[in-house]
Amino acid sequence: MAQTITPSRAQINRMVGGGATSIVVICPPTNEDTAYAVVQTASLKLPTNAWQPLPLVSRLGIELLYAKPVTSKHPLFTVGGAVNTTIAALTLDCDPNSASFGKSTRTAMGGVAFKFADPLQQLSKAVLQPLESFITERLTAIKNALAGPGGVALATAEYEKLGPQAFKMVFKKHRAEQRRLYPDPSMGWAKLECPVVVTVPSCEACGKVEDTSDGGKAMMRCGRCKNVLYCGKGCQEEDWKAHKQFCLSK
């Protein structure tokens, strides 16, 4: 029987925040409970120009801003300690043709604030965690390709995979696993939407784009929910472990 975990109210608040304008501040984590804090944007009292874009994240189709003020009396920014691993990951240079390849273009000590560029969108740990993991894993794949016989050409091809469709598939698997562990509806995993919207019809498992031009064959749909597309039976079976958590949930 699959293990399930009952979340505490504190866990729920850290994941979903307290309102449409809430943001997540990452502090130097001594443990999971102190790594994330959800606060209201206004409470940080930051000027508009303190918020900066994240180009690599924008490449994935997600418009996030971050802020690390030079001076702030807010307790979440005055916590000392280690280098903030989240801002380091979200600013990695993953382009194998770049002189700064593999390095972070922005590092900071202590707390860093993140929010969606759209003030009506609510950011949460549930988005930041898989985003950070996805970027670091893609960088590893690019480095491995660069060190192999394919060299820069293959590494560049791997870099091109660092896009919205790839993140959407990773996010879906992460969300499915979390829903399995935390089935309590109040956690919101069933309704949490991927921050990336891919409008081009594509396979839910491998990301291949549907092409019906010149007599191309249309992709098959899930027979139960009719909401997702697959190249064929193989891709459908591969994706079922993740998709079954949400099939017919809408």
Side-chain angles (χ1 to χ4, degrees), residues 4-241:
T4 60
I5 303 172
T6 301
S8 66
R9 175 51 54 183
Q11 287 176 312
I12 294 172
N13 287 340
R14 281 203 307 277
M15 192 193 88
V16 302
T21 59
S22 66
I23 67 170
V24 175
V25 175
I26 312 302
C27 301
T30 54
N31 57 58
E32 183 68 9
D33 290 334
T34 61
Y36 301 87
V38 180
V39 299
Q40 296 296 310
T41 306
S43 73
L44 295 175
K45 299 181 180 179
L46 297 175
T48 301
N49 61 7
W51 297 96
Q52 302 297 317
L54 290 163
L56 178 58
V57 179
S58 295
R59 178 187 172 90
L60 301 179
I62 307 171
E63 297 302 326
L64 287 186
L65 303 176
Y66 77 93
K68 175 59 180 176
V70 177
T71 59
S72 175
K73 295 182 180 180
H74 195 286
L76 290 173
F77 291 124
T78 57
V79 177
V83 171
N84 188 288
T85 57
T86 299
I87 189 62
L90 299 188
T91 58
L92 281 170
D93 185 348
C94 296
D95 185 351
N97 298 290
S98 171
S100 57
F101 172 65
K103 299 179 180 179
S104 299
T105 58
R106 180 72 165 90
T107 57
M109 304 293 286
V112 175
F114 298 91
K115 70 173 182 177
F116 279 113
D118 181 351
L120 298 181
Q121 280 187 285
Q122 180 182 341
L123 184 59
S124 72
K125 166 187 171 182
V127 171
L128 284 174
Q129 275 192 321
L131 183 59
E132 182 178 349
S133 298
F134 173 72
I135 291 174
T136 53
E137 287 170 4
R138 289 308 309 155
L139 178 61
T140 297
I142 294 168
K143 285 182 175 179
N144 290 340
L146 189 62
V152 176
L154 184 57
T156 301
E158 286 293 333
Y159 174 61
E160 294 302 321
K161 295 179 183 178
L162 192 68
Q165 182 65 46
F167 178 70
K168 177 186 174 184
M169 291 189 292
V170 168
F171 185 85
K172 175 183 176 179
K173 291 178 180 178
H174 172 78
R175 175 182 169 222
E177 177 61 17
Q178 294 303 307
R179 190 186 183 195
R180 185 188 68 80
L181 291 174
Y182 301 97
D184 187 331
S186 62
M187 284 297 283
W189 287 109
K191 295 182 179 180
L192 181 67
E193 296 291 337
C194 178
V196 172
V197 177
V198 178
T199 57
V200 179
S202 56
C203 177
E204 194 76 1
C206 71
K208 180 180 178 181
V209 176
E210 182 181 50
D211 183 6
T212 56
S213 62
D214 298 324
K217 185 180 179 181
M219 292 184 175
M220 62 180 286
R221 288 186 177 274
C222 171
R224 296 179 67 195
C225 68
K226 314 294 184 184
N227 290 327
V228 296
L229 299 174
Y230 295 107
C231 293
K233 194 68 174 178
C235 277
Q236 184 179 30
E237 291 175 350
E238 178 186 341
D239 187 57
W240 178 241
K241 182 178 180 181

